[in-house]
Amino acid sequence: MSSVKRAAAGAKWAVGCQIFVSLAQFVVSGVTSRIFLPADFGGFAAALSLMGLLTLLTTTGLPSFLLKEHRLSSNHIRSIRRIAILTGGLTATAYVLIAPLWLVLLQAPEGGQFILTMAVAQAFGPTGAVESALLRRETNLKRDAVTVLVTFVAANGAGLLLAVWLRQAWVLGVPLAITPIVLAISACCLQHEVYLAGSSLNKRALFTFGRKITTQNMGFMVLQQAPGWLVSTTLGAAALGHFTKGVALAQMPATALTAIQSRIAQPHWRNIRGRSSFQEAVCDAALLSAGVAFPGFAILSVNGSTLVNLWLGPGWELAGSMTSMLAVGFAFSIPFTLMAGSFEMRGDFGPARTAQWCMAGAMLPPILAMITTRDVLWASWALAISQGGALICLIAVVNWQNPRVSRRLIQGFVQQIAWAAVIGLSGMLVGAVVSRNVQASISAEIIQLAVAAVTSGVVWLFTFRWHTTSAMLVRRGFRLPRLFRSVNV
């Protein structure tokens, strides 16, 4: 069985779970957007960004180290759990001390109401991440999906009930505080593997690896968060609220796809022998990732404004106008994240580090345009252009052992972009025509969105056999129905 096929075993659990989580997030976000103001969401985003920075600084390396190691002993596990508890306490304290100044710098005083819940999330976050990584290491996607589902339902269910009942913005932080606690308990209860006693943890190796991956991931986070920070400092919390909601529509499916591919692929990278075989597996995994992401986000890009109007209601038109470019940026980010994370798991940090410089350079012109014109729309361009530049740069700087693999990757990406444009635009055009010419009791926006989604889905379905993804799956030994089977293999 090929490495890609072996990694895909049981993937239906991860896919089904993430589909449910994404749809539920969509509903929760739509409800809360009708309760709270854009400035509240801007303050929440500002407070959340600091939590993300502190998490990356202190705990990124722990779950990655657990997933990459070939052998672990009970001594290793015990030491890493202690480190997680210690770093959680330290970062929670640091968050409480730094957050007030951080919110002043971002001109988002509304974020002060979230400090307590964010500190709780910070305290338990490392432990939740460690226990989740230990469960993922066992490569049982069914049990892993159960932990994700239980955690999401418990945390977001409580947050939604409190939001509807109390109608106070601070409850937006409640799901973040509950999530790591439930995740740690559920993941720990579902772990089956028994680790034998062995040598003590090589803390130097752990901290060396952690330092490298933390430095790299910190760079990516700063670059991804920079547009939002600059929106806040330049235009204020209300503009950040609109930008955040525009990001959220694209980020929810992007987070789901990223979680699916990382949970399926990450635990398997350590088992692939040989650099050439590893690069070929990464290439095929990236083609599969792009084959799903590019058409899906093309549909979102061309229909985003209409969807935001229906989703969030009146007052969020500015967020809708940013969705198109944000969707393009997140489409590029999905295969990029897969590839960069794959090389990280093998200790190859150079290509992604170079891609970070490309991201920064590509982001600079639209950011300067935003500051000069005070138009928040440029922030969406900054995210899209920087992610596309990072993906191109990463492919260019990797030392591919087999030139045919890199050519297949480039040709596959170009083809998927072309098909994505056809899929998205065909639905948009048909939807616009039908909505203008059909009289019905429901709104024209609902008709347009429904027709566009169905049309794009049909085009995607009947052209799939010509997509690079189909050829890759057939080459890897997957049995596809005749309608989906590539004619080029």
Side-chain angles (χ1 to χ4, degrees):
M1 185 185 292
S2 71
S3 59
V4 173
K5 193 172 183 179
R6 189 165 56 249
K12 62 183 180 181
W13 293 100
V15 173
C17 175
Q18 290 300 329
I19 289 175
F20 172 82
V21 168
S22 295
L23 292 175
Q25 283 179 327
F26 185 83
V27 173
V28 170
S29 186
V31 172
T32 55
S33 295
R34 286 167 165 77
I35 298 175
F36 306 117
L37 299 173
D40 294 323
F41 287 101
F44 178 70
L48 182 61
S49 66
L50 176 61
M51 192 185 89
L53 280 175
L54 291 177
T55 299
L56 280 177
L57 279 172
T58 54
T59 59
T60 306
L62 297 179
S64 297
F65 184 83
L66 289 171
L67 289 171
K68 86 174 187 65
E69 288 296 288
H70 289 281
R71 293 182 179 85
L72 290 175
S73 69
S74 59
N75 294 340
H76 295 159
I77 305 301
R78 188 163 47 250
S79 296
I80 289 176
R81 281 172 171 162
R82 289 172 180 168
I83 293 171
I85 293 172
L86 176 62
T87 54
L90 292 175
T91 52
T93 302
Y95 185 88
V96 172
L97 296 175
I98 298 172
L101 177 60
W102 178 263
L103 295 173
V104 170
L105 291 174
L106 293 186
Q107 298 186 42
E110 295 84 353
Q113 60 193 314
F114 305 110
I115 292 178
L116 179 59
T117 51
M118 297 285 184
V120 174
Q122 198 81 67
F124 291 96
T127 298
V130 164
E131 298 303 332
S132 178
L134 287 171
L135 180 61
R136 290 167 59 197
R137 183 181 170 87
E138 298 179 15
T139 65
N140 187 307
L141 290 172
K142 182 178 180 179
R143 283 186 273 125
D144 184 38
V146 169
T147 64
V148 173
L149 189 60
V150 168
T151 300
F152 177 83
V153 171
N156 287 272
L160 182 60
L161 288 175
L162 288 173
V164 174
W165 180 31
L166 299 177
R167 293 184 174 265
Q168 296 182 22
W170 66 266
V171 303
L172 291 171
V174 168
L176 292 174
I178 297 177
T179 292
I181 300 173
V182 179
L183 179 63
I185 295 172
S186 59
C188 188
C189 291
L190 290 175
Q191 292 168 20
H192 289 175
E193 188 168 344
V194 177
Y195 296 95
L196 302 176
S199 60
S200 300
L201 177 68
N202 185 340
K203 292 186 175 63
R204 183 174 182 179
L206 169 64
F207 290 128
T208 299
F209 175 80
R211 176 181 55 80
K212 290 181 179 179
I213 197 169
T214 297
T215 301
Q216 187 150 289
N217 288 345
M218 176 63 71
F220 283 126
M221 182 178 181
V222 168
L223 289 169
Q224 290 167 351
Q225 293 289 330
W229 292 339
L230 290 168
V231 166
S232 185
T233 56
T234 305
L235 305 176
L240 178 61
H242 282 281
F243 178 75
T244 301
K245 279 301 181 181
V247 167
L249 183 60
Q251 194 173 43
M252 283 188 288
T255 300
L257 286 174
T258 301
I260 290 170
Q261 64 189 20
S262 65
R263 289 180 179 276
I264 293 173
Q266 270 191 352
H268 293 272
W269 291 133
R270 70 178 187 274
N271 299 320
I272 300 178
R273 303 299 179 186
R275 189 174 182 183
S276 181
S277 297
F278 167 71
Q279 289 184 347
E280 188 165 353
V282 170
C283 170
D284 286 350
L287 289 175
L288 179 60
S289 176
V292 175
F294 289 178
F297 280 86
I299 297 172
L300 177 59
S301 178
V302 299
N303 298 289
S305 180
T306 303
L307 184 56
V308 167
N309 290 340
L310 293 172
W311 175 40
L312 301 181
W316 292 95
E317 291 78 12
L318 183 57
S321 63
M322 289 185 277
T323 302
S324 294
M325 290 311 302
L326 290 170
V328 171
F330 279 103
F332 290 134
S333 75
I334 293 170
F336 172 81
T337 301
L338 173 67
M339 294 177 64
S342 303
F343 290 117
E344 284 179 356
M345 295 300 292
R346 304 279 286 206
D348 188 2
F349 295 94
R353 193 173 298 120
T354 304
Q356 288 179 339
W357 290 104
C358 291
M359 284 182 70
M363 185 183 296
L364 188 58
I367 286 296
L368 292 175
M370 183 194 73
I371 295 173
T372 302
T373 64
R374 300 185 65 81
D375 185 352
V376 70
L377 291 176
W378 282 108
S380 62
W381 280 89
L383 192 147
I385 294 172
S386 63
Q387 291 292 341
L391 180 60
I392 294 171
C393 180
L394 182 64
I395 298 171
V397 300
V398 169
N399 182 19
W400 299 98
Q401 298 295 293
N402 186 344
R404 287 181 297 179
V405 174
S406 62
R407 285 198 298 269
R408 186 165 74 239
L409 183 63
I410 294 170
Q411 291 170 358
F413 278 170
V414 171
Q415 186 199 76
Q416 293 289 17
I417 290 172
W419 278 118
V422 171
I423 291 168
L425 291 173
S426 62
M428 182 190 71
L429 293 174
V430 173
V433 171
V434 171
S435 65
R436 290 174 184 172
N437 293 280
V438 173
Q439 299 295 326
S441 58
I442 58 177
S443 72
E445 286 185 329
I446 294 177
I447 295 175
Q448 179 178 341
L449 193 61
V451 172
V454 171
T455 302
S456 293
V458 170
V459 174
W460 192 352
L461 183 71
F462 282 95
T463 62
F464 184 78
R465 65 186 308 183
W466 292 287
H467 295 202
T468 302
T469 310
S470 176
M472 184 279 294
L473 291 173
V474 172
R475 188 174 65 253
R476 285 285 180 173
F478 286 83
R479 295 177 61 84
L480 301 178
R482 181 179 295 274
L483 177 63
F484 303 142
R485 198 177 306 155
S486 173
V487 296
N488 299 320
V489 176

